[in-house]
Amino acid sequence: MDLSIIIVNFNTAKLLQACLQSVFEQTVGIEFEIFVVDNASTDDSVSMIRREFPNVHLIVNESNRGFAAANNQAIPIARGRYILLLNSDTKVLDGAIQKTVEFMQAQPEASIVGCKLLNADGSLQPSCMSFPSVWNLFSESLFLYIVFRRSPIFGAYYMSYFDHDEVREVDFVRGAFMMIRREVFDNVGLFDEAYFMYTEEVDLCYRARKLGYRTFFSPSAQIIHYGGGSIESMSRFSEQLHLTQFYFIRKHFQGLRRIAGAFVKGFGLALRVPVYAFVGLITFDIDLLRKSRSYFSILWKVIH
C-alpha cells in the first residue's frame, strides 16, 4: 500500500463530501486507503460517508476526542508506506497527493512534507512556519512580524518573507496537508494527545527534528484550504491556539528559556487586550472588541 489518508471530521459533512470527492477524482497512479475519524458529529457526516463512500474506513467516536487523539486512532492500523493527514475542509487540486508521494520517493531525506495551501479565492495561504523560540515569540508579541513582514529576522516565525515558490527545508508544515513516512511515527511516536487541537503538528515536527528527520515544503502540489470548518467560533480557535502554544513552551523549553518564552507569550496576549479595545472603540469595530475580550479570557486562564 502506497498511502494511507487520514481525515478527522467534526460536523463538516458538506466540506468532507467535497474533500473526499476531490481525493478520488484527483488521485491516480497510486494505491491508497482512506480513514475518516469522526469526532461525534451531530450533522449527517457519518450517514453521508456510509451512503456515498462505502470504501472509506470509518471510525466513529462517541465524544469529540480532538485532532491529535483522533489521528492516533487511525495511524496504528493504517497500511501505507506514507501517511497523509488531510483536513476535511480542503479540496485537492491537480494531482496534489500523487505529486507529493512522487516527491517523497525522489527525496529520501524528506521525512515530512507539506504542499502549497491556497485560500478559496486562490490567494496564497501560509503553509509552513518556524518553531517557536523566544525571539520568534517576541517578534509576534510586539507585532514586528507585521511591520517588517518581508524581513527574515522579524518575519521568521510566520516565514512571511517566503514566497512559497521553491522547495526548501522548513521547521514544520501546517497539519491541513502533511505527508509523513511511517518510520517517523514508528520512531518518534504518535501525536501528543495533550494537544486537543492545534500545535500538535509543531510538536511532532519538533520531536522528529531531534531524531534527525527533516521536514520539507514542496510547491509542486496545491490544495485549497477553506479553514475553520470544524471551529465553533473564532474565540474558540484563538483560545485553543494560544493555550497549546503555552503547553509547547512548558514541554520543550527549559530553565531561563522557559521563563522567558512564557513571559513573552503572556506579554503578547496582555498587550493585545488594550490595543484591540482601543482601536475597536475609535473605529467602532465590534470584531476588535471581541478580540480584546477573547485575549483577556485566554490570559485569565493562563494565569489561573
Side-chain angles (χ1 to χ4, degrees), residues 70-87:
N71 274 299
N72 286 350
Q73 290 178 264
I75 291 169
I77 58 177
R79 297 176 294 158
R81 290 183 292 127
Y82 308 109
I83 295 175
L84 172 63
L85 308 182
L86 183 67
N87 274 20

Side-chain angles (χ1 to χ4, degrees), residues 133-150:
S133 67
V134 175
W135 173 255
N136 286 341
L137 293 170
F138 175 80
S139 298
E140 180 193 39
S141 295
L142 294 183
F143 301 98
L144 298 177
Y145 73 101
I146 297 176
V147 178
F148 305 104
R149 62 174 285 106
R150 302 305 299 175

